[in-house]
Amino acid sequence: SGADAEKFARYRWVELKHGRVAMLAVVGYLVTYAGVRFPGAEDIPAGFAALDAVPGMVWAQMVATWALMEAANSPTPGTYNGFEPEFMGDFRNGALDFGWDKQSDEWKMKKRAIELNNGRAAQMGILGIMVHEKMGNLAESFPSSPIKL
């Protein structure tokens, strides 16, 4: 039915969005665990310890950025600068294409499936990283890191 198709489309959009966030989380976790920091944040530790060490104004800036990103990328696709998104999560906005429009529908569906699967793996990955940090054995998973949590 139409309601089921809409519900599935919404769930697929939420899965895609969470997968993208998880992919960024895994990369961010690994980069900070390796000791890479933004200038001025060299004293911020990696992992959960960073939650208490981040200043309040940084939290305010992050929340404002998230709110603006959510508002700008609302889940309702619409025309923007004459660009009509092909699917929920299509944020190309007509400015950058990288050849997407020249590809076949089969190729596009394959790439979208790859992104979904990578997102699913990243969701499990960040969950595993967080669990092992809380268990206290993350250093066994990443033994070559110069940083100790």
Side-chain angles (χ1 to χ4, degrees):
S1 74
D4 289 338
E6 286 180 27
K7 196 174 198 179
F8 178 79
R10 168 86 174 122
Y11 288 153
R12 178 54 51 97
W13 158 241
V14 170
E15 179 183 18
L16 177 65
K17 188 176 186 179
H18 283 90
R20 288 174 175 174
V21 170
M23 287 186 270
L24 289 171
V26 169
V27 170
Y29 201 107
L30 295 176
V31 167
T32 56
Y33 191 80
V36 178
R37 301 289 190 276
F38 284 116
E42 293 86 3
D43 59 334
I44 304 289
F48 285 112
L51 296 176
D52 293 329
V54 172
M57 276 310 290
V58 174
W59 279 109
Q61 291 170 1
M62 286 193 307
V63 169
T65 301
W66 295 333
L68 287 172
M69 290 171 68
E70 285 292 320
N73 299 311
S74 69
T76 307
T79 304
Y80 179 74
N81 288 341
F83 173 77
E84 186 74 30
E86 288 184 34
F87 56 91
M88 297 287 285
D90 183 5
F91 296 133
R92 290 178 292 145
N93 74 15
L96 296 175
D97 188 306
F98 299 114
W100 180 267
D101 290 334
K102 296 178 181 80
Q103 302 299 329
S104 68
D105 288 340
E106 181 182 329
W107 183 90
K108 290 177 185 180
M109 291 305 289
K110 181 179 178 186
K111 292 297 183 178
R112 290 177 61 193
I114 290 170
E115 181 183 18
L116 275 172
N117 286 328
N118 286 344
R120 291 169 182 156
Q123 289 175 63
M124 294 299 103
I126 193 63
L127 178 64
I129 290 170
M130 291 168 24
V131 166
H132 281 281
E133 181 183 341
K134 282 298 189 185
M135 289 173 56
N137 63 357
L138 190 60
E140 295 169 15
S141 299
F142 305 128
S144 62
S145 174
I147 304 298
K148 299 296 179 212
L149 296 175

